[in-house]
């Protein structure tokens, strides 16, 4: 079973893809920050085709139906929305200046302790840092920031 797009479903998918691109373009110009947008490229269109075909295949259909396209679009919007909303800087919010200084101090300790691009046992590093009077949550936060 290898479901394929009919001309009608291909046209539907194409129009939905164009609509998403226009929405993203409008959102970028409204916000004035094009770097924030998740890029919508031909690769995403190809992914939508594969998702639609997979949804049809799960039902053992010979052709992709409009509802498969609709579900693929819904999944795509949810996943790209989540990706756009994710911000690594959320790891860098601090309760107060003391916490920020403690994390910066922990980062300095880790930079001195660990060679660049090294693979280490995180638990062991945290234990070692705790024995050097660093708080475990502070070390974990510093590690999280450093590996971004």
């Amino acid at each position: 079973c290898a479901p394929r797009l009919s001309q009608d479903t291909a046209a539907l998918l194409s129009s939905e893809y164009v609509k998403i691109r226009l929405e993203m373009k409008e959102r970028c110009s409204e916000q004035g920050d094009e770097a924030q947008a998740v890029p919508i490229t031909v690769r995403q269109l190809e992914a939508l085709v594969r998702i639609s075909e997979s949804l049809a295949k799960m039902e053992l259909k010979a052709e992709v139906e409009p509802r498969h396209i609709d579900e693929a679009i819904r999944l795509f919007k949810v996943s790209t929305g989540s990706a756009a909303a994710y911000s690594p800087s959320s790891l860098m919010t601090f309760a107060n200046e003391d916490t920020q200084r403690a994390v910066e101090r922990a980062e300095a300790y880790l930079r001195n302790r660990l060679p660049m691009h090294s693979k280490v046992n995180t638990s062991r590093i945290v234990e070692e840092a705790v024995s050097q009077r660093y708080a475990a949550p502070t070390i974990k936060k510093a590690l999280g920031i450093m590996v971004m």
Side-chain angles (χ1 to χ4, degrees), residues 113-133:
R113 167 63 183 82
L114 305 172
M116 289 293 283
H117 308 292
S118 60
K119 293 182 181 180
V120 295
N121 181 322
T122 306
S123 300
R124 180 186 275 165
I125 295 299
V126 171
E127 286 175 20
E128 199 175 293
V130 168
S131 73
Q132 298 291 321
R133 300 185 189 268

Side-chain angles (χ1 to χ4, degrees), residues 29-48:
S29 51
E30 284 173 8
Q31 294 174 352
D33 186 10
E34 294 189 28
Q36 289 283 69
V38 173
I40 306 300
T41 63
V42 174
R43 179 173 271 183
Q44 278 76 25
L45 176 60
E46 292 167 347
L48 288 169

